[in-house]
Amino acid sequence: MAKASGLIEFLVENPVADSKVEVSLGGRLKGMNLTVRPMTSQEYNDWQKAAYKKKRRGNETEQVFDSLWFTEQIVINCVVEPNFKNADMLEKAGCALPQEFLHKYFLPGEVEHIADFISSLSGFGDDYKLEEKVKNS
């Protein structure tokens, strides 16, 4: 029971909403940094739900997952610095929307790598695999 209370103490002292990490970029952006935060459970659920779009094929309608839209939401909302929703920055860049900024100034793979890092930070990476602890009876 002591180990579980240690977990609770850690979680209470380290809320997810307060987590921020500075990330060094690579490739053509080597030496540049971003500050990112993890997705919250609510954001993840909302974006997952909203990413399903109805698509008509003939007489039938099917649900299709819009992975581009989902990736954009992760990057736009979880990159803290620079703030891709900043109106002054968007105006200076000649963009009306944050999505437009991403597609105008980042390569598609760069956006994917940033989203993957944020997803990993949010608990979806290999670092978060659970391991069974064997107890001797």
Side-chain angles (χ1 to χ4, degrees):
M1 190 78 139
K3 293 202 186 249
S5 67
L7 172 63
I8 298 302
E9 279 180 34
F10 174 82
L11 293 172
V12 169
E13 292 173 8
N14 298 283
V16 171
D18 294 343
S19 299
K20 290 185 182 115
V21 176
E22 190 166 325
V23 181
S24 294
L25 300 172
R28 72 182 185 100
L29 302 173
K30 189 173 180 112
M32 304 289 181
N33 296 324
L34 296 173
T35 303
V36 299
R37 65 170 180 80
M39 289 179 268
T40 65
S41 295
Q42 188 65 54
E43 287 171 329
Y44 176 76
N45 291 332
D46 290 348
W47 298 337
Q48 279 274 320
K49 198 179 293 184
Y52 280 95
K53 314 287 183 191
K54 289 184 180 179
K55 187 174 184 180
R56 290 190 58 98
R57 287 191 186 211
N59 294 333
E60 296 190 22
T61 302
E62 65 180 353
Q63 293 275 349
V64 177
F65 187 76
D66 187 343
S67 61
L68 174 62
W69 184 88
F70 185 73
T71 299
E72 290 170 343
Q73 296 312 301
I74 293 171
V75 174
I76 290 166
N77 291 288
C78 295
V79 172
V80 177
E81 187 60 40
N83 179 355
F84 294 127
K85 296 185 271 185
N86 180 289
D88 291 336
M89 182 202 69
L90 290 172
E91 184 178 338
K92 184 177 180 180
C95 299
L97 299 169
Q99 293 86 337
E100 186 181 350
F101 182 90
L102 288 183
H103 298 295
K104 186 174 181 180
Y105 293 103
F106 286 92
L107 296 170
E110 292 168 342
V111 174
E112 283 293 326
H113 286 298
I114 294 166
D116 288 347
F117 183 87
I118 293 167
S119 293
S120 183
L121 184 63
S122 302
F124 293 101
D126 288 339
D127 293 349
Y128 291 93
K129 288 185 179 176
L130 301 179
E131 295 178 15
E132 182 178 353
K133 188 169 184 174
V134 179
K135 288 185 179 180
N136 292 332
S137 309

